[in-house]
Amino acid sequence: MGKLNFLNINVIFVAMTLVILLSFSLSFGQTYGSADYFDELKVDLSSLFKTNDSQIYLFSLGAFSFALDSTVNESLPSSDFFKVLNDIDIFDFALISIILSGLIFPFDSYTAWTVIESFAVSVLITGTIKFLVGRARPFVNGNPFLFKFFSMENAYQSFPSGHAAISWAIFTPIAERFGKFWYVVPTIFSLQRLWSKNHWFSDVYYGFLLGYTTGYSLYYSKSD
């Protein structure tokens, strides 16, 4: 993912993530009560394992996206438009989620917590899949079916798109709470990964699904 290997999640990052989650957990717990907080956390985590027909349909439909990879990559002109997004790494996304949550917290502590929670969950899921799959990026040799399983190399961390997954995970709770126009932000992130030739179409498609599903599920899992 840009200037930092996506899977190079060292001790400092893990510690930082834990501190972020702990701080927002304490804030959320103080607002709603510790018992309510733990009940909410349990409901949130269990919601990730629940699927509906539309989600199953979209993930299944995504299988056809692999057939479009070469066509989309070859037909879409390469562009440096929004090139700055290439330099956004996992630490930058962490900072973005913290700032947004801090701005939202005075108005809606639940949504603020969900933004942080969605970020953390999407990083874990996306990073794990990237490592296991080890798919080559378009610029490696132009072959969408080149894999190096269990790879730590950035060039072989194409599937799914981390930028797409994390941006959708962060902004989905915000869009659902404050207005659908916020979906413009992750949409730009996703499209930029295509015209910059950093990802295949299927990478971005599944990155979008993972991020959106994570953010949506966690946001609407609020316990009564």
Side-chain angles (χ1 to χ4, degrees), residues 72-83:
V72 173
N73 186 61
E74 293 170 3
S75 61
L76 191 65
S78 178
S79 174
D80 290 333
F81 190 53
F82 281 116
K83 183 179 180 180

Side-chain angles (χ1 to χ4, degrees), residues 42-221:
K42 182 170 64 175
V43 171
D44 288 348
L45 294 178
S46 64
S47 71
L48 296 174
F49 299 96
K50 297 178 181 178
T51 58
N52 55 47
D53 291 340
S54 61
Q55 290 174 339
I56 295 175
Y57 174 76
L58 288 174
F59 274 93
S60 300
L61 186 64
F64 295 100
S65 66
F66 290 93
L68 300 174
D69 283 334
S70 293
T71 301
V72 173
N73 186 61
E74 293 170 3
S75 61
L76 191 65
S78 178
S79 174
D80 290 333
F81 190 53
F82 281 116
K83 183 179 180 180
V84 66
L85 298 183
N86 289 330
D87 295 326
I88 294 181
D89 58 34
I90 195 170
F91 289 97
D92 295 324
F93 273 119
L95 183 60
I96 290 172
S97 65
I98 293 171
I99 292 175
L100 290 174
S101 295
L103 293 173
I104 295 170
F105 188 80
F107 307 98
D108 188 339
S109 60
Y110 176 78
T111 300
W113 158 253
T114 305
V115 169
I116 293 293
E117 192 178 30
S118 297
F119 162 74
V121 171
S122 66
V123 167
L124 178 61
I125 296 176
T126 306
T128 300
I129 297 175
K130 280 177 174 286
F131 171 69
L132 295 175
V133 175
R135 190 186 197 188
R137 296 181 185 273
F139 57 74
V140 175
N141 73 349
N143 181 3
F145 299 104
L146 178 63
F147 299 90
K148 185 185 289 186
F149 303 115
F150 310 111
S151 176
M152 297 288 287
E153 299 178 46
N154 180 56
Y156 288 88
Q157 293 177 5
S158 191
F159 183 85
S161 167
H163 281 71
I166 297 175
S167 62
W168 279 97
I170 291 174
F171 283 93
T172 292
I174 295 175
E176 291 300 313
R177 173 62 177 82
F178 297 103
K180 299 296 192 292
F181 60 87
W182 284 105
Y183 280 127
V184 171
V185 179
T187 298
I188 292 175
F189 267 98
S190 300
L191 293 176
Q192 192 275 338
R193 304 312 284 165
L194 290 176
W195 68 58
S196 65
K197 305 300 181 180
N198 279 287
H199 283 285
W200 302 101
F201 174 69
S202 56
D203 299 334
V204 174
Y205 179 85
Y206 276 101
F208 147 68
L209 281 182
L210 286 171
Y212 175 78
T213 300
T214 298
Y216 190 90
S217 297
L218 293 177
Y219 180 77
Y220 284 105
S221 65

